Amino acid sequence: MKATRKINGGAVSQFAALPWRHTGAGVEVLLISSRETKRWVIPKGWPISGLSPPEAAAREAFEEAGVGGVIDHRPMGRFEYDKRLGDGTLQHCVVTVFGLERMIQHATWPEQGERRVRWFSVPDAANAVREPGLAKIIRRLS
């Protein structure tokens, strides 16, 4: 069950996973396309009843990107953005980001046909996202 949690002045909390991996070329970051605007984002979503924030972030990584791995229980940081809801209104969100070192790419996952999934170098990932706060968090991986 998903639920929203209001925080500071009407903003709501979301939890996100920042999937990353080591390669011969260095660290890479997994980004996914958003469903509506097709911009590059990280897997994120609302709090999930019965799951801790890092567990909710890991669930979103599986549902949206098909990845699993070791989720860090310490946040990497937070960023803010305005989410367009189904009725067209904007909801201000504060997103807590947890690192997810990828260990598994599942063959199938719930949103597989709805999003693009792509690995980026750290600088390219930071330049691909629109949210300055998220770009700053990504750059910390280099």
Side-chain angles (χ1 to χ4, degrees):
M1 170 186 278
K2 296 190 179 195
T4 58
R5 186 179 73 170
K6 295 256 185 197
I7 57 176
N8 57 14
V12 296
S13 268
Q14 286 192 313
F15 303 118
L18 180 57
W20 63 275
R21 66 182 180 187
H22 286 284
T23 68
V27 175
E28 291 183 330
V29 173
L30 183 77
L31 298 180
I32 61 173
S33 62
S34 67
R35 285 189 282 196
E36 289 81 28
T37 64
K38 305 301 180 200
R39 63 189 171 84
W40 291 112
V41 297
I42 60 175
K44 65 184 171 306
W46 309 112
I48 301 172
S49 295
L51 297 183
S52 69
E55 290 168 338
R59 165 99 43 99
E60 294 297 335
F62 167 69
E63 290 178 0
E64 297 181 359
V67 293
V70 178
I71 192 83
D72 193 340
H73 286 262
R74 293 167 307 188
M76 295 179 69
R78 290 178 179 76
F79 72 95
E80 298 182 26
Y81 81 109
D82 291 321
K83 178 176 182 58
R84 186 163 305 280
L85 302 177
D87 64 3
T89 61
L90 293 178
Q91 174 63 61
H92 190 68
C93 298
V94 176
V95 183
T96 303
V97 179
F98 298 91
L100 177 77
E101 187 171 7
R102 184 194 69 98
M103 305 294 189
I104 276 182
Q105 175 68 58
H106 296 277
T108 60
W109 61 93
E111 297 182 20
Q112 187 170 8
E114 301 174 36
R115 301 175 184 274
R116 290 179 295 147
V117 177
R118 183 172 150 200
W119 288 97
F120 290 81
S121 68
V122 169
D124 288 346
N127 290 333
V129 298
R130 287 189 190 165
E131 297 82 7
L134 176 55
K136 184 176 179 181
I137 293 168
I138 291 170
R139 284 190 185 95
R140 289 189 202 137
L141 288 172
S142 59

